[in-house]
Amino acid sequence: MPRIRLPDPKDIDEMIQGVSKRSEMAERKLKTAIGNALATMDPADKRTLTGDLRLTDLDIQNLLRRDRLDDPARDRLKEIIAKMRDLDESGLTIYPGAVQSHRELSKTERTAMAALAADVSALMRDIASGHHDPYVKNVFGDGFEEEAKKVFKGAAKALDRLMKASGGLVVDVMRKSDVWSCGGLTNSTRMALPESLVAAASDRSRSGYAFLTLVHESTHALPKGGTTDVLYEHHERFLNANPQAKLATADYYKEVVRQIATAAGRVFTPQDVDAHLSTTRSKDLMLAAEAADKVLNGAWVSAIRIHDTIHSMARAPGNFVGWETWLRNASRLMGTSIHREPDIAFTKAGLMRGRNSGPPIHSGDLAVMDNKIAMLAACNGKAKYVIKEPTVALGPEDYVGYVLTEVLRMFGGGLKFSKSLDKDVIVIRSLGALHESVNSGRKNLLLDVGNAKKPGLAQLPEPMRSYDALKRV
């Protein structure tokens, strides 16, 4: 079930005050998120909530169905959210907002991480030197071990560099790993690790969670030629992807280390199919499921990238002059209320002219994106479980849409993230199209194709563009 995080009650007035189109949309999104969060609550906690607040389920539903909230109703919603936070021992009910997304390692944590990183680097260098070639060949295929070993060598160098650099390894305090199912958030200059991994760093066993995750993340950190996450080990085609896809994907390098640690291999056969599913599905359905998983994974990564950029915009707007069109289109894709703001403008103020400025970005907007990513994380890699054939003949594109709809039905928890399942599929396909593993240009289209330091997204991707144009008509 996706984890639904809500804005802090203290931020709600700012989000939904006034009678503008933006405040109306923000209120609608807030009500949807609260309804989803209530639907995911433990039944015993929900009984405590309604009992302590002297509310019935019908009272709450009537509150969420109101066209607009007056002051007493708004206060009631704040009480509901506050009570949900009190009852949630995980501490994940409230989205943190536009806060610093990471912290430095403590002295004790750095000592433990340094020892773990040294072990990880040493093993990756051993692999690069040819000491574990049978396992490399088993995963990547005979004839591709040299290319894979180059990545291991580069990953060891990258991990050493990040470990020595100030701020190279940091702790994700927004708990993205717990909500978005991502082990770490890594590029060539920084690796943001979940609290759970840092806490587990003292376990330096090669088969352990911390060791394997650090291998995976290190392959993302190469300045050039870093891996992506086109596939994960839980995806259907993990065991039968082609060698070039495997060489570019982080989880295959983790798989080599897992096999070394356990001496337990898996059979990697390009173009084979999972035996437990091949006899129950048509070839068309299997192909559509493979394509749908690629779209879901691309959408998940694109959504994370958008969230992190807009989160940075809220904290440092002066760095985003010229990103106004990007922000409007990203807001439409992620279902936030920002694009309803009549004037979106970033300015970088001089020393004598006061502070940098940008459009107001509320914690509710960030929480809406957080919820979308949680939904995508819950659905990612699940297309292989769609075994029900469609009742009508479908073309390839419609087949993929059918599989995406079924995945949302089966793994979306019945939660509402937009007006309909059809709209959700449009959004997912559009987000997926922005990712380099899905679009024909093999580019991250959130950035300008000719200059990675400039914004892309000059227009909405398809099919969202056509949907938006039809809605305007």
Side-chain angles (χ1 to χ4, degrees):
M1 183 73 76
R3 166 68 67 171
I4 305 301
R5 296 200 284 189
L6 299 169
D8 195 302
K10 65 181 176 58
D11 297 330
I12 287 175
D13 287 340
E14 180 187 14
M15 291 167 46
I16 61 178
Q17 64 183 349
V19 293
S20 67
K21 288 184 177 180
R22 181 175 186 186
S23 66
E24 181 181 351
M25 183 177 185
E27 183 178 305
R28 187 169 67 250
K29 298 290 184 180
L30 175 63
K31 292 171 185 172
T32 298
I34 292 172
N36 287 340
L38 287 166
T40 63
M41 279 188 79
D42 178 83
D45 284 344
K46 190 172 180 181
R47 286 193 295 271
T48 300
L49 180 146
T50 54
D52 288 355
L53 295 180
R54 297 183 179 180
L55 291 170
T56 66
D57 285 339
L58 183 59
D59 291 334
I60 295 175
Q61 292 307 313
N62 286 338
L63 192 62
L64 297 178
R65 281 195 288 260
R66 287 195 183 188
D67 288 337
R68 291 303 305 264
L69 301 174
D70 55 17
D71 289 343
R74 191 179 304 152
D75 290 340
R76 205 58 166 149
L77 280 189
K78 293 179 192 175
E79 291 175 0
I80 292 171
I81 297 172
K83 188 64 179 178
M84 291 171 69
R85 175 168 55 184
D86 291 343
L87 293 170
D88 182 14
E89 294 180 357
S90 74
L92 285 170
T93 295
I94 302 300
Y95 177 84
V99 299
Q100 182 67 37
S101 62
H102 60 271
R103 66 168 176 82
E104 299 292 329
L105 294 165
S106 70
K107 185 176 180 180
T108 301
E109 290 169 339
R110 177 164 284 280
T111 300
M113 284 300 303
L116 174 65
D119 287 354
V120 171
S121 292
L123 178 57
M124 291 196 294
R125 283 192 169 86
D126 279 349
I127 296 170
S129 298
H131 295 164
H132 300 283
D133 278 2
Y135 294 104
V136 179
K137 291 179 181 179
N138 185 44
V139 173
F140 290 98
D142 195 11
F144 295 93
E145 61 271 25
E146 294 306 316
E147 291 180 69
K149 288 191 290 186
K150 287 179 184 178
V151 175
F152 275 115
K153 184 177 180 179
K157 286 183 179 180
L159 180 57
D160 290 346
R161 174 174 45 78
L162 290 177
M163 197 67 232
K164 293 175 183 176
S166 175
L169 260 66
V170 295
V171 184
D172 166 29
V173 298
M174 294 186 69
R175 302 181 68 178
K176 296 174 182 177
S177 174
D178 294 325
V179 180
W180 300 353
S181 301
C182 50
L185 300 163
T186 302
N187 55 37
S188 61
T189 60
R190 192 180 73 191
M191 185 183 295
L193 299 171
E195 295 270 9
S196 58
L197 185 144
V198 176
S202 58
D203 175 10
R204 290 154 58 189
S205 60
R206 291 176 173 180
S207 60
Y209 155 65
F211 199 106
L212 292 174
T213 301
L214 211 54
V215 171
H216 174 111
E217 295 301 321
S218 296
T219 68
H220 287 327
L222 278 69
K224 291 184 179 180
T227 60
T228 63
D229 290 318
V230 176
L231 288 166
Y232 284 91
E233 61 182 343
H234 61 274
H235 285 144
E236 178 180 4
R237 301 295 288 186
F238 188 72
L239 292 177
N240 41 70
N242 65 61
Q244 294 306 320
K246 289 190 284 191
L247 288 166
T249 303
D251 251 13
Y252 290 100
Y253 298 89
K254 184 180 82 171
E255 172 68 16
V256 171
V257 173
R258 189 195 66 78
Q259 292 194 16
I260 293 169
T262 62
R266 292 194 282 182
V267 178
F268 284 72
T269 309
Q271 304 308 314
D272 195 7
V273 296
D274 288 350
H276 72 291
L277 293 174
S278 61
T279 58
T280 61
R281 297 182 301 166
S282 67
K283 182 180 179 180
D284 286 341
L285 183 54
M286 285 190 286
L287 291 174
E290 182 182 356
D293 262 342
K294 188 178 290 187
V295 170
L296 281 163
N297 193 70
W300 174 68
V301 176
S302 294
I304 290 173
R305 289 169 173 170
I306 290 172
H307 169 278
D308 288 353
T309 300
I310 296 181
H311 187 269
S312 297
M313 288 174 169
R315 292 181 53 80
N319 295 335
F320 294 94
V321 174
W323 286 68
E324 291 81 2
T325 298
W326 186 99
L327 179 56
R328 282 199 187 276
N329 286 333
S331 173
R332 288 190 177 99
L333 284 169
M334 295 301 291
T336 78
S337 64
I338 303 169
H339 62 280
R340 292 286 192 175
E341 192 71 28
D343 182 28
I344 290 180
F346 291 103
T347 61
K348 190 174 184 65
L351 291 177
M352 303 300 292
R353 292 188 289 116
R355 302 176 61 186
N356 297 333
S357 65
I361 297 172
H362 306 312
S363 68
D365 296 309
L366 299 172
V368 165
M369 291 189 284
D370 183 79
N371 291 174
K372 283 271 190 351
I373 298 168
M375 179 192 74
L376 289 166
C379 294
N380 197 8
K382 301 299 196 304
K384 65 183 177 184
Y385 297 109
V386 178
I387 60 175
K388 178 184 175 183
E389 299 282 347
T391 57
V392 296
L394 297 173
E397 287 300 308
D398 290 333
Y399 228 129
V400 174
Y402 163 79
V403 173
L404 290 172
T405 301
E406 290 302 302
V407 170
L408 288 170
R409 289 188 205 279
M410 296 165 66
F411 299 99
L415 307 181
K416 291 178 59 179
F417 289 87
S418 66
K419 295 177 181 178
S420 66
L421 278 175
D422 289 343
K423 173 70 180 297
D424 281 345
V425 170
I426 289 169
V427 170
I428 289 169
R429 297 191 78 152
S430 300
L431 287 169
L434 297 172
H435 193 264
E436 54 271 23
S437 67
V438 179
N439 63 67
S440 59
R442 297 292 185 260
K443 299 290 185 182
N444 170 14
L445 298 182
L446 290 169
L447 300 173
D448 184 82
V449 173
N451 187 341
K453 294 183 179 179
K454 290 186 177 181
L457 210 57
Q459 59 184 357
L460 288 169
E462 291 291 2
M464 188 70 177
R465 189 191 322 161
S466 295
Y467 171 84
D468 192 61
L470 185 62
K471 185 176 67 173
R472 291 173 185 273
V473 173

